[in-house]
C-alpha cells in the first residue's frame, strides 16, 4: 500500500553511513536520543555491515582510538554539542564525520565552527532530517506525551511558542525525508472562545515558514516527481473530543485499551502463561511491525479478527493434516486452537505468532464480557452520533446513562467517560446536574476536575439556568445508515471527524472557511486552482494537461496527504487514514506527538487543573550537562609494569633495557649456584650470562673472590679433620674403659 515511512527513514540512515564510510572501517558514535531513532528502524547488524567496527554511546566512557576515523550520528541539541566538543578536544579518534538527525541551530553551528579542535578534526558535516519516529508504515509519532499539557495547560503559556517551533522542525524533517513540499491547510473552529482555538493557525504558520526557509536555501527541494503536490492538514485534539472517549472494537484499539500493553520504545504485551498452575509465570511478547498476523488484522473488527485467526488455522490444519488431533477435535474455539498449537514444536515461529494473537484476542473478549462493554458502547454510539441504532433521534438517553452508572459491573473510568460523553451531547450541563451524576456514579471530586478539563479543549462544560442557545452544528454532517447492519457493527457506527475530513478532501468539498490555507494562494482569488492541491511538484510549465496524458499508464502516481494531529491521536483516527489510503489513489500519513488511549486522555485532562510544578515537564527540569568524564584526558597508553612472568624453559625471557654498569655489577656478583630473583637460573640462562663479554678489572675481582672462596674451603677442611681426631679419641676412651 504505497510508500512506507519506516523504509524511507531506514534507507536514509543506511545510505548516509554508507556514503561516509566509503568502504573504510570506522566507528559509529551515537547519543542516547539518536540511538533510539536509529534502533527504531535499523538493526544493529545492518549498521555493522556498512564497514563499522563497533557502535558506541557518546555519553559513555570509551577507549581512545586515535588511528581510526569516527562517524558521529547525533541529535541537534545543545547538550549533545557540548559532548561533541568535549570528545573532539580529547582527540579520541583520528578524523570525524558528523551527521545530525535534524538541522542544527545556527548558534550551535557557530560554536562548533569557532572551536579549533573541531575545525581540525571534522572532515564531514551533514543533516539527515530524521528527527521523528515511524511507528507504522503510515503512522509517525514524536514520542512526546508532554506535548498535550504544554499546548493546553493554562500555566504553560510561556512554553507554547518554543514547543510549536519544535513541532514545526520535526514536521519539516518528515517532509524533507519524504521529498514533499505540501500545500498546508489548518483547522479553524467556529465561534471558539477557548485559548487554544488559535493553536492550529499558529502551528501551520510555523510549519510554512520552516518549509519556505528550507526551500530558499535548498533550491533542489522538493526533488522532481510525477506525483501530484502533497497536501497537509494541521488539526488538533479539539477538533474531535468523542474519539478518545468512546470504546473502539477494532483489534489494535481494543488491545491497547483493555490489555496490559507497555507502549514506549517497543510495544510489549505482558501475558500470564499457565494461570493458576504452580508453573505460572509472566511473559513479555513484543508486537512488531513485521508481524504479518498483526498487520493484517489490527484494523479489523474484533469479530472479523477472531474469525480470520480461526480460518487461517483451519487452513493450516488442512495443509498439514498430520497435526490434527487423533480424536478428530476441530478448531472451533480459541481455546481449542491454543491447545493444538502446543503440539507444534516444528513450527516455532508460527506457533509463537498465533499464540500471541490468540491469547490477546481471548483476553480482549474476556474483558469485553466482564465489563458489559456491549451495553456501554450502545449508549456511547448514540451519544457520539446523535442517532440511535435505527438512525433516529434517541429517546430516554438520560435514563440509559443513569442505569449504567448504577451497574456494579461498569468500572469507574467507564462511568466517567459516559458522563463526559453525555455532557458533550447536551452541549454542557447545569453544575448541579454534573455533581449529581458524579455522586450517582460514586466518583471522587478529583474526577470532577477531569470533566472540567474539557473546557480547555473548547467544550462547553457548564451552562446557565436560562439557556436557550442551540447546540452548535457538527463540523461534518452525520453519517447515514451503514451497509454493515449486524449487531456487532451497530457498536461501531461512530466515525472519527478525521475520516470525514479526508473524504471531503477527495471530493473537493472541504469548507475553505473551516479549513483555510496557511499561505495566500498563487492566483489571489482565495483558493488554489484545485482545492485538493493536485498540482505536480515539477514546474507547471512542463506539466502536461490532463487530456494529453497517456492512456496506457497502468498505475497513476499517488498523492500524499500528511495529517498533523497536535495533542495526540487515537487508533481510530489511524485506522481511518489506512482506510482512505486503501479505498483511494492517495497515501495518507498520520503524524502526531503520541498515541492516545482513553485512560491516557483522562489523565491528561485531569492534569490541566493541577499546578504546573507537579507535572514535572521536561522544560522545567534542570538543564542536562555532559558527563564529567568526557572532559578528563584519556590515560596515556604505556606498557603495563607487571612482575616478570615465570621462567619459560623453552626460551629466554625478554631482556630489560641495556644498562652497562648495572649489567657489569650483576655479573660480578654472580657465581655458580647463585639464585636470580629467588630462582635458580636455567642452563640456557647460565650459558647466556657466561657468554657475555667482561672487562679485565671484572676478571681480577672475580679471581680474588675465587681465591677467598678456596681459602675458606681449606679452613673448613682443616676444621673437619680436627673434629675427626676428637671423635677417634672419644671412641678410644670408652673402648678402653670397657
Amino acid at each position: 500500500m504505497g510508500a512506507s515511512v519506516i523504509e524511507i527513514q531506514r534507507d536514509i540512515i543506511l545510505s548516509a553511513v554508507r556514503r561516509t564510510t566509503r568502504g573504510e572501517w570506522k566507528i559509529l558514535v551515537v547519543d542516547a536520543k539518536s540511538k533510539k531513532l536509529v534502533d527504531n528502524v535499523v538493526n544493529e547488524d545492518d549498521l555493522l555491515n556498512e564497514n563499522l567496527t563497533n557502535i558506541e554511546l557518546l555519553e559513555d566512557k570509551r577507549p581512545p582510538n586515535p588511528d581510526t576515523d569516527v562517524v558521529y550520528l547525533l541529535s541537534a541539541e545543545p547538550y549533545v554539542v557540548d559532548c561533541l566538543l568535549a570528545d573532539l578536544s580529547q582527540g579520541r579518534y583520528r578524523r570525524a564525520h558528523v551527521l545530525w538527525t535534524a538541522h542544527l541551530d545556527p548558534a550551535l553551528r557557530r560554536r562548533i565552527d569557532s572551536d579549533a579542535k573541531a575545525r581540525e578534526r571534522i572532515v564531514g558535516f551533514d543533516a539527515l532530517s530524521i528527527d521523528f519516529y515511524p511507528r507504522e508504515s503510515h503512522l509517525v509519532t514524536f514520542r512526546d506525551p508532554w506535548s498535550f499539557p504544554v499546548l493546553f495547560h493554562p500555566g504553560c503559556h510561556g512554553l507554547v511558542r518554543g514547543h510549536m517551533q519544535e513541532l514545526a522542525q520535526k514536521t519539516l524533517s518528515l517532509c524533507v525525508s519524504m521529498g514533499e513540499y505540501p500545500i498546508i491547510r489548518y483547522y479553524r473552529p467556529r465561534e471558539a472562545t477557548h485559548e487554544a482555538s488559535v493553536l492550529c493557525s499558529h502551528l501551520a504558520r510555523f510549519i510554512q515558514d520552516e518549509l519556505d526557509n528550507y526551500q530558499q536555501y535548498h533550491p533542489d527541494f522538493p526533488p522532481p516527481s510525477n506525483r501530484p503536490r502533497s497536501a497537509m492538514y494541521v488539526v488538533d485534539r479539539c477538533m474531535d473530543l468523542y474519539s478518545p472517549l468512546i470504546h473502539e472494537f477494532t483489534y489494535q484499539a481494543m488491545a491497547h485499551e483493555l490489555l496490559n500493553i507497555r507502549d514506549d520504545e517497543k510495544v510489549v504485551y505482558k501475558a500470564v502463561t499457565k494461570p493458576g498452575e504452580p508453573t505460572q509465570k509472566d511473559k513479555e511478547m513484543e508486537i512488531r511491525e513485521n508481524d504479518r498476523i498483526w498487520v493484517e488484522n489490527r484494523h479489523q473488527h474484533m469479530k472479523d479478527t477472531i474469525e480470520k485467526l480461526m480460518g487461517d488455522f483451519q487452513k493450516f490444519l488442512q495443509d498439514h493434516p498430520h497435526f490434527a488431533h487423533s480424536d478428530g477435535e476441530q478448531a472451533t474455539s480459541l481455546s481449542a486452537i491454543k491447545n493444538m498449537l502446543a503440539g507444534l514444536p516444528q513450527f516455532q515461529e508460527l506457533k509463537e505468532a498465533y499464540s500471541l494473537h490468540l491469547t490477546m484476542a481471548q483476553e480482549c473478549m474476556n474483558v469485553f464480557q466482564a465489563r458489559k462493554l456491549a451495553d456501554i458502547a450502545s449508549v456511547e454510539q448514540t451519544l457520539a452520533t446523535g442517532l440511535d441504532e435505527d438512525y433516529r433521534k434517541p429517546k430516554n438517553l438520560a435514563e440509559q446513562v443513569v442505569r449504567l452508572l448504577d451497574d456494579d459491573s461498569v468500572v469507574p473510568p467507564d462511568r466517567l467517560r459516559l458522563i463526559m460523553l453525555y455532557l458533550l451531547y447536551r452541549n454542557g450541563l447545569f453544575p448541579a446536574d454534573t455533581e449529581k451524576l458524579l455522586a450517582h456514579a460514586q466518583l471522587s471530586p478529583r474526577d470532577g476536575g477531569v470533566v472540567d478539563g474539557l473546557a480547555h479543549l473548547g467544550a462547553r462544560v457548564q451552562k446557565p439556568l436560562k439557556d436557550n442557545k442551540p447546540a452548535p452544528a457538527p463540523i461534518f454532517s452525520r453519517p447515514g445508515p451503514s451497509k454493515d447492519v449486524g449487531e456487532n457493527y451497530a457498536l461501531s457506527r461512530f466515525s472519527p471527524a478525521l475520516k470525514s475530513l479526508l473524504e471531503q478532501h477527495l471530493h473537493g468539498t472541504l469548507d475553505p472557511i473551516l479549513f483555510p490555507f496557511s499561505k495566500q494562494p498563487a492566483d489571489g482569488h482565495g483558493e488554489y486552482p484545485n482545492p485538493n492541491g493536485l498540482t505536480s511538484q515539477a514546474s507547471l510549465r512542463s506539466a502536461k494537461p490532463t487530456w494529453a496524458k497517456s492512456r496506457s499508464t497502468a498505475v497513476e502516481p499517488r498523492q500524499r496527504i500528511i495529517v498533523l494531529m497536535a495533542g495526540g491521536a487515537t487508533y481510530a483516527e489511524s485506522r481511518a487514514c489506512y482506510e482512505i489510503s486503501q479505498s483511494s489513489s492517495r497515501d495518507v500519513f498520520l503524524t502526531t506527538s503520541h498515541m492516545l488511549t482513553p485512560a491516557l486522555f483522562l489523565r491528561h485532562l485531569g492534569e490541566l487543573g493541577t499546578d504546573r510544578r507537579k507535572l514535572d515537564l521536561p522544560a522545567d527540569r534542570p538543564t542536562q550537562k555532559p558527563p564529567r568524564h568526557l572532559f578528563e584526558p584519556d590515560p596515556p597508553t604505556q606498557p603495563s609494569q607487571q612482575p616478570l612472568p615465570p621462567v619459560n624453559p623453552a626460551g629466554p625471557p625478554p631482556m630489560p633495557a641495556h644498562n652497562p654498569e648495572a649489567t657489569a655489577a650483576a655479573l660480578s656478583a654472580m657465581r655458580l649456584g647463585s639464585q636470580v630473583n629467588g630462582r635458580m637460573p636455567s642452563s640456557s640462562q647460565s650459558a647466556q650470562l657466561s657468554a657475555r663479554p667482561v672487562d679485565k678489572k671484572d676478571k681480577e675481582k672475580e679471581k680474588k673472590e675465587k681465591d677467598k672462596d678456596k681459602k675458606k674451603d681449606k679452613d673448613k677442611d682443616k676444621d673437619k679433620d680436627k673434629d675427626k681426631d676428637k671423635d677417634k679419641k672419644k671412641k678410644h676412651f670408652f673402648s678402653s674403659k670397657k
Side-chain angles (χ1 to χ4, degrees):
M1 183 183 61
S4 169
V5 190
I6 296 177
E7 294 300 323
I8 290 175
Q9 191 182 72
R10 182 179 183 274
D11 292 342
I12 291 175
I13 295 174
L14 291 179
S15 299
V17 173
R18 192 178 302 118
R19 288 195 310 268
T20 306
T21 56
R22 296 179 181 178
E24 298 179 359
W25 291 102
K26 292 180 175 61
I27 296 174
L28 178 64
V29 175
V30 294
D31 63 87
K33 182 180 177 182
S34 64
K35 184 178 186 301
K36 295 178 181 178
L37 286 169
V38 174
D39 291 345
N40 186 55
V41 295
V42 184
N43 294 326
E44 184 174 334
D45 291 341
D46 294 336
L47 280 172
L48 294 176
N49 289 337
E50 301 296 339
N51 290 91
L52 295 176
T53 58
N54 59 311
I55 302 174
E56 301 176 349
L57 195 63
L58 179 65
E59 293 88 347
D60 288 351
K61 284 188 176 181
R62 289 160 282 126
N65 287 278
D67 298 329
T68 308
D69 288 358
V70 63
V71 179
Y72 288 101
L73 180 52
L74 307 176
S75 50
E77 296 184 357
Y79 154 77
V80 176
V81 172
D82 293 338
C83 294
L84 173 65
L85 294 178
D87 218 43
L88 294 174
S89 65
Q90 302 301 326
R92 289 190 173 91
Y93 309 99
R94 185 173 58 182
R95 294 175 301 181
H97 304 260
V98 185
L99 304 175
W100 301 96
T101 59
H103 290 271
L104 200 62
D105 184 85
L108 297 177
R109 178 62 188 268
R110 286 193 293 270
R111 281 192 58 196
I112 297 176
D113 293 341
S114 61
D115 188 276
K117 290 288 186 180
R119 292 196 308 269
E120 177 184 347
R121 298 191 180 276
I122 294 179
V123 296
F125 204 94
D126 195 11
L128 303 185
S129 298
I130 56 170
D131 193 15
F132 55 89
Y133 295 90
R135 182 181 174 122
E136 299 173 6
S137 62
H138 286 58
L139 176 60
V140 174
T141 69
F142 300 145
R143 291 186 184 178
D144 185 14
W146 304 108
S147 179
F148 186 94
V150 170
L151 293 176
F152 299 109
H153 195 285
C156 295
H157 293 310
L159 304 177
V160 174
R161 181 180 181 84
H163 184 63
M164 282 191 177
Q165 187 71 45
E166 182 181 351
L167 289 176
Q169 292 171 353
K170 293 178 183 295
T171 306
L172 171 67
S173 290
L174 176 63
C175 293
V176 173
S177 296
M178 298 176 64
E180 300 294 340
Y181 190 10
I183 298 172
I184 302 177
R185 301 177 71 171
Y186 61 92
Y187 170 58
R188 182 169 62 188
R190 303 189 187 100
E191 302 178 4
T193 58
H194 61 291
E195 289 182 297
S197 61
V198 296
L199 189 157
C200 293
S201 62
H202 289 305
L203 183 55
R205 179 171 54 83
F206 274 95
I207 297 173
Q208 187 71 65
D209 292 343
E210 290 289 338
L211 284 168
D212 293 344
N213 291 336
Y214 183 85
Q215 200 274 338
Q216 180 180 357
Y217 291 100
H218 299 81
D220 56 343
F221 175 78
S225 172
N226 59 351
R227 290 191 306 271
R229 186 174 180 182
S230 59
M232 175 181 288
Y233 288 94
V234 180
V235 298
D236 66 350
R237 190 67 270 157
C238 304
M239 187 180 75
D240 187 354
L241 297 178
Y242 288 100
S243 185
L245 290 175
I246 68 171
H247 286 86
E248 169 84 5
F249 295 122
T250 52
Y251 182 31
Q252 183 183 39
M254 201 171 179
H256 277 273
E257 178 184 353
L258 304 181
L259 302 185
N260 185 12
I261 291 180
R262 187 179 73 248
D263 185 2
D264 40 36
E265 297 179 14
K266 296 181 179 179
V267 180
V268 178
Y269 169 58
K270 188 175 183 180
V272 179
T273 59
K274 299 180 180 180
E277 299 182 10
T279 58
Q280 172 182 331
K281 63 179 181 179
D282 295 338
K283 182 179 180 181
E284 290 189 347
M285 294 180 281
E286 183 179 354
I287 305 174
R288 303 181 179 180
E289 189 64 17
N290 58 4
D291 185 342
R292 179 183 57 83
I293 300 176
W294 171 253
V295 173
E296 290 179 354
N297 293 278
R298 62 187 171 197
H299 298 137
Q300 300 293 326
H301 192 279
M302 181 58 74
K303 173 179 176 294
D304 299 330
T305 300
I306 294 175
E307 290 179 354
K308 190 173 187 306
L309 287 174
M310 297 176 65
D312 290 346
F313 191 73
Q314 289 285 9
K315 184 177 183 301
F316 172 81
L317 292 180
Q318 292 175 3
D319 297 338
H320 304 82
H322 51 287
F323 289 118
H325 283 195
S326 58
D327 57 0
E329 179 184 357
Q330 297 295 320
T332 57
S333 66
L334 295 179
S335 300
I337 295 178
K338 290 174 64 177
N339 293 334
M340 290 184 180
L341 283 172
L344 300 179
Q346 298 89 339
F347 296 84
Q348 187 63 30
E349 185 176 352
L350 175 69
K351 174 184 174 181
E352 291 180 355
Y354 271 101
S355 178
L356 167 64
H357 296 291
L358 289 170
T359 301
M360 292 173 58
Q362 183 67 63
E363 185 63 24
C364 285
M365 295 310 299
N366 293 341
V367 178
F368 177 84
Q369 295 171 0
R371 289 167 50 175
K372 292 187 176 181
L373 295 186
D375 297 337
I376 296 174
S378 178
V379 177
E380 287 179 347
Q381 292 292 316
T382 302
L383 294 172
T385 61
L387 302 172
D388 61 12
E389 296 181 5
D390 298 325
Y391 290 89
R392 298 176 181 175
K393 187 176 180 180
K395 298 179 181 180
N396 304 323
L397 261 181
E399 297 177 3
Q400 298 179 44
V401 171
V402 171
R403 185 170 63 251
L404 288 172
L405 295 180
D406 287 336
D407 195 330
D408 294 335
S409 300
V410 180
V411 296
D414 289 344
R415 298 178 190 178
L416 180 60
R417 289 159 65 179
L418 272 174
I419 294 175
M420 297 171 71
L421 287 169
Y422 183 67
L423 182 146
L424 294 174
Y425 170 76
R426 295 292 303 271
N427 191 33
L429 294 173
F430 301 132
D433 291 344
T434 304
E435 294 177 2
K436 290 179 181 179
L437 289 174
L438 291 171
H440 207 79
Q442 300 179 5
L443 297 176
S444 65
R446 183 178 180 180
D447 295 320
V450 177
V451 177
D452 294 336
L454 289 172
H456 297 289
L457 275 70
R460 190 185 185 197
V461 176
Q462 298 181 0
K463 61 181 180 180
L465 293 175
K466 295 181 179 181
D467 180 46
N468 298 323
K469 184 178 180 180
I475 300 176
F476 302 103
S477 59
R478 304 287 187 184
S482 174
K483 60 181 179 180
D484 299 320
V485 294
E487 179 181 356
N488 296 305
Y489 299 104
L491 303 180
S492 303
R493 306 191 310 273
F494 171 78
S495 179
L498 179 57
K499 186 173 184 179
S500 300
L501 183 156
L502 294 172
E503 290 174 342
Q504 291 194 13
H505 168 86
L506 297 180
H507 296 98
T509 58
L510 200 59
D511 187 352
I513 298 177
L514 192 60
F515 292 92
F517 296 94
S518 65
K519 194 174 183 180
Q520 183 64 29
D523 62 353
H525 295 295
E527 64 179 21
Y528 283 92
N530 189 330
N532 295 339
L534 294 178
T535 307
S536 174
Q537 293 188 158
S539 174
L540 293 176
R541 286 176 289 184
S542 63
K544 292 183 179 181
T546 305
W547 51 266
K549 291 183 179 180
S550 173
R551 295 184 180 180
S552 62
T553 304
V555 179
E556 291 290 334
R558 298 168 66 91
Q559 183 197 25
R560 293 176 176 176
I561 305 172
I562 303 172
V563 179
L564 175 61
M565 176 71 74
T570 66
Y571 291 100
E573 291 163 339
S574 172
R575 172 178 55 85
C577 294
Y578 281 96
E579 291 174 348
I580 295 298
S581 298
Q582 292 173 350
S583 62
S584 67
S585 59
R586 311 290 198 278
D587 278 330
V588 185
F589 299 88
L590 177 60
T591 307
T592 186
S593 57
H594 62 299
M595 297 305 294
L596 284 174
T597 60
L600 181 57
F601 183 61
L602 295 180
R603 195 184 83 184
H604 281 333
L605 291 176
E607 291 173 345
L608 297 182
T610 60
D611 191 343
R612 168 181 163 178
R613 292 172 293 183
K614 297 180 180 180
L615 299 180
D616 189 29
L617 297 174
D620 295 335
R621 298 171 187 168
T623 304
Q624 192 174 8
K625 296 182 179 180
R628 184 175 297 177
H629 61 78
L630 290 180
F631 299 92
E632 298 173 354
D634 295 320
T637 55
Q638 296 180 351
S640 58
Q641 298 179 357
Q642 299 178 352
L644 292 174
V647 175
N648 183 7
M655 297 297 296
H658 180 63
N659 188 340
E661 297 180 359
T663 302
L667 290 173
S668 63
M670 293 183 66
R671 59 181 181 272
L672 187 64
S674 64
Q675 296 182 353
V676 180
N677 292 334
R679 296 185 179 89
M680 292 296 296
S682 63
S683 58
S684 60
Q685 287 176 304
S686 301
Q688 286 179 346
L689 293 173
S690 61
R692 292 179 185 176
V694 292
D695 55 14
K696 191 173 182 181
K697 293 182 179 180
D698 292 336
K699 287 184 178 181
E700 293 178 356
K701 288 182 180 180
E702 186 176 353
K703 185 176 181 181
K704 290 180 180 180
E705 292 291 339
K706 288 182 179 180
D707 293 340
K708 289 181 181 180
D709 292 339
K710 288 181 180 180
K711 187 177 181 181
K712 289 180 181 179
D713 292 338
K714 289 181 180 180
D715 294 339
K716 288 181 181 179
D717 292 338
K718 291 180 180 180
D719 294 338
K720 289 180 180 180
D721 294 339
K722 291 180 180 180
D723 293 337
K724 288 180 181 180
D725 293 338
K726 291 180 180 180
D727 291 338
K728 288 180 180 180
K729 291 180 180 180
K730 288 180 181 180
K731 290 180 181 180
H732 177 72
F733 173 78
F734 287 113
S735 60
S736 61
K737 195 169 183 180
K738 288 180 180 180

